[in-house]
Amino acid sequence: MRDLVQRPEGTASTHCTAEQYDAMYRQSLANPDAFWLEQAQRLDWSTFPTKAGEWSFDPVDIAWYSDGSLNLCHNAVDRHLADNGDTVAFIFEPDSPDSPSRSLTYRELHSEVVRMANALKAMGVTKGDRVTLYMPMIVEGAAAMLACARIGAIHSVVFGGFSPEALAGRIEGCESRFIVTADEGLRGTKRVPLKDNIDAAIALLDANSPVDGVLVIRHTGGKIAMQDGRDHWYTDVASDADCPCVEMHAEDPLFILYTSGSTGKPKGVLHTTGGYAVWAAATFYYTFDYQPGEVFWCSADIGWVTGHSYVTYGPLLNGGTSVIFEGVPNYPDHGRFWDVIDRHKVNIFYTAPTAIRALMREGNDWVTSRDLSSLRLLGTVGEPINPEAWRWYYEVVGKSNCPIVDTWWQTETGGHMITTLPYAHDMKPGSAGKPFFGVQPLLVDNEGNPLEGAADGNLCITHSWPGQARTVYGDHDRFIEAYFSTFPGRYFTGDGCRRDEDGYYWITGRVDDVINVSGHRMGTAEVESALVLHPKVSEAAVVGFPHDIKGQGIYCYVTLMEGENTSAALTAELRQWVRKEIGPIATPDHLQFTSGLPKTRSGKIMRRILRKIAENDYGALGDTSTLADPSLVDRLIEGRQNR
Ligand code: WTA
């Protein structure tokens, strides 16, 4: 078949061959309990569980390994000390290539995590408390996650690019009384005022959600304000005192991570300890075919789920070496990623298609001038990859001898769900491939009827898996509504998907009101709420449109309050406004003023029409006769063309 790229041959230590995949996948469906209890042996348990999955999707109640207990920090760090204490756990590559890089062995990481856990305890953090981490990509970020896990606190990492407004919502949302941050972050030539943003966020909080303690890591040495009694320098409160790992039930919460959905504010997705750990450990092991001693680099920020599962937990649960990169792909120049690979002899590299597309555009010399011969395997995540970018990644970066794993998954799934395994499956550029063990995808039409064989439909998962999110923090009804109500009894992913005649899955993108900008999930509703907060804005509708580099861009239709006038200055002001409300990742690409939005007679905005107009595709607007004001469409098109 033309679009098939043959997998390389494995070696004797390959974790999964084609035959093994078939047998293991079959077994994982036929006897999930036995399969997942065996996989649980990847971890050290205080009490080994006697059962694996106990779950129902109707009513929605999910538990795994419920009578087992363990500590995740012990599994990620302490248990490696006896035999592998001198193995490097993290390699830190700073923002500037001229600053020194740093590597920490498991023994050194252990000391750092103990110090961090003692610092948290000194602020009063105890088991079950929510701790917000708002950190640059430095070792202390991962150490703070592990320190929370060590003492049974629940971490909620907020991406350092979010604004004080967005941050405040996430602190309030999980009633987090403790924060870990740094003075400033560095991204290319920019300094990110992390501590100032924390101060601004706290000032926005309701008086009923006090923040009791802020732990501050000195990173850049930039000037910041410290509030007596509330703010503590890390080095002042850290100590080397003995700090044992707290035994946790498998179903005790591990972390909350906020993510965008099709409606309302971001949701605090909750993951628990045992099942998530098995999932992170097993997917890392099989998908990347990780071999001891290899250097693994996932370029995601720990503020996203990819950073949770594949910068911190997956690699460390496997005793691996993980690179933490503070900088950006284009600083000081477009060869930075390839420099990092060359400098640290990276064997496995995992990044987003948006970065691949942006770097591809800069030409091959940036890549070919570096020695990338250490690379063995490449991976992508976060959005569909177009075959052209896939080919470039495969041929120019991987020199046609590194398999590519295109991993489809979500914040809610905890880890990989659909991906080829590097030595088990041939690859098809643009297809994520086959389901991971235990994953049972189902394509359904819009009425929920299952589609067999080669088909195109809505992607659901019919059976629970250990890494599945258990709930939305504090709002189980919202969890049910968001994921189990569209197609009752099934987990609905929000993605459209095609399955081909070979059983390969091709993710076609979101079918709900979520857009994917540079691999980051964005709720169109969030951008709309930000816009209508502006005093001059009356109504807003936001849609995604295809963007060469970012995958999707953000297109906003805005109607103004009576008497307000459109202007270039107002456009600029509104773009700035959204950046301030959410963060730079939400900056609108295009803003079109309009006298009205296309609505049905019952007042529902017809987004289908707005999407088509944003895409510059006027031929297929479909039926517009149900619109309250059909003439509006022509005015919208005219506005689009004159934009
Ligand atoms: C999209 C990121 C195509 C998808 C791990 C999903 C992908 C959303 C892929 C989740 C892929 C992720 N191919 N699309 N390999 N991986 N997506 O929660 O739309 O930030 O629903 O998790 O990203 O984004 P999230």
Side-chain angles (χ1 to χ4, degrees), residues 286-306:
Y286 288 110
T287 305
F288 300 116
D289 197 64
Y290 186 78
Q291 305 286 332
E294 285 190 317
V295 177
F296 175 84
W297 178 24
C298 164
S299 71
D301 192 284
I302 56 162
W304 311 114
V305 74
T306 308

Side-chain angles (χ1 to χ4, degrees), residues 248-311:
M248 304 294 285
H249 293 297
E251 281 299 336
D252 280 339
L254 175 68
F255 68 84
I256 296 165
L257 187 56
Y258 282 86
T259 191
S260 300
S262 33
T263 54
K265 289 192 205 160
K267 293 186 278 281
V269 166
L270 183 87
H271 282 282
T272 57
T273 308
Y276 172 81
V278 171
W279 198 250
T283 51
F284 181 81
Y285 179 83
Y286 288 110
T287 305
F288 300 116
D289 197 64
Y290 186 78
Q291 305 286 332
E294 285 190 317
V295 177
F296 175 84
W297 178 24
C298 164
S299 71
D301 192 284
I302 56 162
W304 311 114
V305 74
T306 308
H308 282 59
S309 300
Y310 303 109
V311 173

